């Protein structure tokens, strides 16, 4: 997700993203115009709708295959190093003796959530242990480092994440890739988001479709270096904090952290769920329950601070932070409203939402403002695991930008 503030190399500015990208070459772009970008926007919207239609068709096939009239959708938020909470929660959820983690039909991810998504989709003990270990050794294995020559390289960022590039390659090109290909062939899906800085919108990408892209001549590039390299770059862009981590150029457009636009990715609109219901009914599939599970890897509200009234730069930075955090409770409220609308107005479909959020009071815990602080990440992993193992792992979130979630209900 995008950083909320700029406090040197503390977590408030750049550790909101645990895994972000780079490269040491100067970033360039082909010549373009506003008119060309606007024309691209029309085509991109058409591709977005085609992607959502494809997602719907695959979900219908999954319902028919599963046979239990259920769809399970997991949404993984951004949160940087706080993704250790999500990794711990997934591990605890998988090991629950009752109400254990289901096999997901669709996983969506933003920023660090996009990197967790392949492991969550597979949902095996091995996959979840791997993502847990990835966060546990983040500082040693793939954390970004300051690029002391950034002012000469003109990469659009100030860090070098060569180690992170290697981590993505190991994830998508190793044994895990074969398991993912099998899952995609079985109509399971991963969709993640970037921010298109040229158009000022969020972009949607299907991981399975990108890995199986066909060339302009129509020949399959599945498993080829071309498909893999493009997918690597997309995941880099999905996690690139603007101004700190280098953005990427994809199809002539500048892509960076999807958390700029939204920290969770609901993907389907009410109209999409209406079409889903119609297609299900056409297949004779009724009384279908869509279960949406949300793991919030970042506190929903900004951390409390004592602000100095005359500190112009601090107030400006705080404004940027709060602009980001304000839309998080609104996004969760909108998702719950969508669930109610779908359940009430889409025949044959019920929609449920469950949210597990990292407690907002963790924003002031020791280490929360230090990039890749090992003990803090261990704490979050344990917190996530314990929460998932508890009797009530899901939160009753009734929050807004005007109320902190850690305030007792009787005082709201």
């Amino acid at each position: 997700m995008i950083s909320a503030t700029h406090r040197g190399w503390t977590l408030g500015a750049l550790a909101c993203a645990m895994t972000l990208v780079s490269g040491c070459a100067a970033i360039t772009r082909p010549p373009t115009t506003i008119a060309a970008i606007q024309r691209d926007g029309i085509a991109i919207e058409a591709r977005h709708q085609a992607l959502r239609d494809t997602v719907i068709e695959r979900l219908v096939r999954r319902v028919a295959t599963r046979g239990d009239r259920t769809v399970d959708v997991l949404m993984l938020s951004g949160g940087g190093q706080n993704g250790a909470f999500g990794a711990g929660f997934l591990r605890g959820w998988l090991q629950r003796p009752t109400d254990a983690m289901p096999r997901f039909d669709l996983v969506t991810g933003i920023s660090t959530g996009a990197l967790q998504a392949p492991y969550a989709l597979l949902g095996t003990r091995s996959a979840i242990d791997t993502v847990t270990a990835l966060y546990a050794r983040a500082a040693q294995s793939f954390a970004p480092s300051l690029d002391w020559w950034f002012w000469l390289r003109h990469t659009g960022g100030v860090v070098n994440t060569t180690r992170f590039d290697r981590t993505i390659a190991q994830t998508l090109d190793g044994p895990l890739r074969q398991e993912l290909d099998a899952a995609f062939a079985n109509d399971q899906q991963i969709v993640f988001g970037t921010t298109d800085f040229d158009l000022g919108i969020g972009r949607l990408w299907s991981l399975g479709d990108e890995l199986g892209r066909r060339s302009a001549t129509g020949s399959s590039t599945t498993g080829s270096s071309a498909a893999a390299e493009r997918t690597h770059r997309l995941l880099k862009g999905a996690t690139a904090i603007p101004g700190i981590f280098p953005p990427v150029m994809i199809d002539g457009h500048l892509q960076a952290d999807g958390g700029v636009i939204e920290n969770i990715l609901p993907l389907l609109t009410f109209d999409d769920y209406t079409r889903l219901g119609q297609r299900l009914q056409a297949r004779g599939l009724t009384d279908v329950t869509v279960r949406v599970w949300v793991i919030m890897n970042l506190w929903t509200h900004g951390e409390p601070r004592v602000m100095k009234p005359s500190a112009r730069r601090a107030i400006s930075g705080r404004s940027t932070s709060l602009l980001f955090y304000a839309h998080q409770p609104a996004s969760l409220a909108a998702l719950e409203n969508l669930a109610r609308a779908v359940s009430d107005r889409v025949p044959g479909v019920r929609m449920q939402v469950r949210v597990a959020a990292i407690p907002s009071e963790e924003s002031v815990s020791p280490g929360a403002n230090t990039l890749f602080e090992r003990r803090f990440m261990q704490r979050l992993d344990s917190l996530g695991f314990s929460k998932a193992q508890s009797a009530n792992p899901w939160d009753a979130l009734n929050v807004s930008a005007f109320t902190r979630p850690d305030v007792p209900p009787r005082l709201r």
Side-chain angles (χ1 to χ4, degrees), residues 292-305:
V292 176
W293 314 89
V294 183
I295 298 179
M296 293 294 296
N297 286 306
L298 190 69
W299 32 86
T300 57
H301 292 64
E303 74 280 16
R305 293 194 210 168

Side-chain angles (χ1 to χ4, degrees), residues 96-368:
R96 281 182 65 89
T98 60
D99 301 320
M101 188 171 74
R103 188 75 176 270
F104 298 112
D105 305 294
L106 169 66
V107 179
T108 70
I110 291 292
S111 197
T112 199
L115 301 175
Q116 295 175 331
Y119 304 97
L121 185 78
L122 295 179
T124 63
R125 180 66 178 266
S126 175
I128 301 304
D129 285 348
T130 299
V131 73
T132 298
L134 190 66
Y135 282 81
R137 65 173 188 265
Q140 294 77 28
S141 62
F142 69 91
S145 58
L146 179 63
D147 178 6
W148 295 101
W149 299 99
F150 72 88
W151 53 281
L152 286 176
R153 300 188 201 279
H154 301 292
T155 64
V158 297
V159 295
N160 183 313
T161 55
T162 301
R163 294 186 301 180
F164 175 68
D165 296 348
R166 189 163 55 245
T167 299
I168 292 181
Q170 292 170 351
T171 298
L172 296 181
D173 300 339
L176 182 66
R177 171 66 187 277
Q178 297 176 359
E179 297 180 57
L180 285 173
D181 285 342
F184 295 144
N186 198 31
D187 287 321
Q188 291 178 270
Q189 304 176 79
I190 293 174
V191 177
F192 62 96
T194 63
T195 296
D196 187 316
F197 270 67
D198 293 325
L199 282 167
I201 63 171
R203 293 286 298 273
L204 303 174
W205 311 92
S206 165
L207 183 63
D209 291 342
E210 289 297 330
L211 287 172
R213 280 177 65 86
R214 292 182 175 273
S215 68
T217 62
S219 61
S220 175
T221 59
T222 302
S224 72
S225 59
E229 172 60 21
R230 176 184 169 86
T231 306
H232 295 170
R233 296 181 67 242
L234 279 170
L235 286 173
K236 290 179 184 182
T239 53
I241 294 177
I244 297 175
F245 298 87
V248 299
M249 293 297 300
I250 300 288
D251 300 334
H253 282 240
L254 190 68
Q255 308 296 327
D257 196 316
V260 175
I261 296 293
E262 191 75 78
N263 205 33
I264 58 172
L265 180 56
L267 183 60
L268 299 181
T269 66
F270 176 80
D271 288 342
D272 294 326
Y273 278 105
T274 299
R275 285 194 294 275
L276 174 63
Q278 293 168 346
R279 285 162 172 73
L280 288 169
Q281 286 194 326
R283 294 281 298 270
L285 300 168
T286 58
D287 297 324
V288 173
T289 299
V290 179
R291 301 190 299 187
V292 176
W293 314 89
V294 183
I295 298 179
M296 293 294 296
N297 286 306
L298 190 69
W299 32 86
T300 57
H301 292 64
E303 74 280 16
R305 293 194 210 168
V306 177
M307 298 296 300
K308 183 178 179 180
S310 60
R312 182 184 60 82
R313 291 184 62 183
I315 291 173
S316 177
R318 180 66 160 169
S319 297
T320 302
S321 171
L322 296 179
L323 284 170
F324 168 77
Y325 279 109
H327 70 63
Q328 295 206 99
S331 296
L332 292 173
L335 187 59
E336 292 180 342
N337 288 337
L338 174 63
R340 283 193 287 268
V342 168
S343 298
D344 291 343
R345 298 167 53 190
V346 178
V349 177
R350 292 185 301 275
M351 184 175 173
Q352 303 171 351
V353 177
R354 298 290 184 271
V355 179
I358 183 172
S360 286
E361 54 264 33
E362 289 299 320
S363 64
V364 294
S365 292

Side-chain angles (χ1 to χ4, degrees), residues 16-30:
C16 284
M18 172 182 115
T19 53
L20 312 182
V21 304
S22 109
C24 292
I27 185 169
T28 60
R29 68 172 308 144

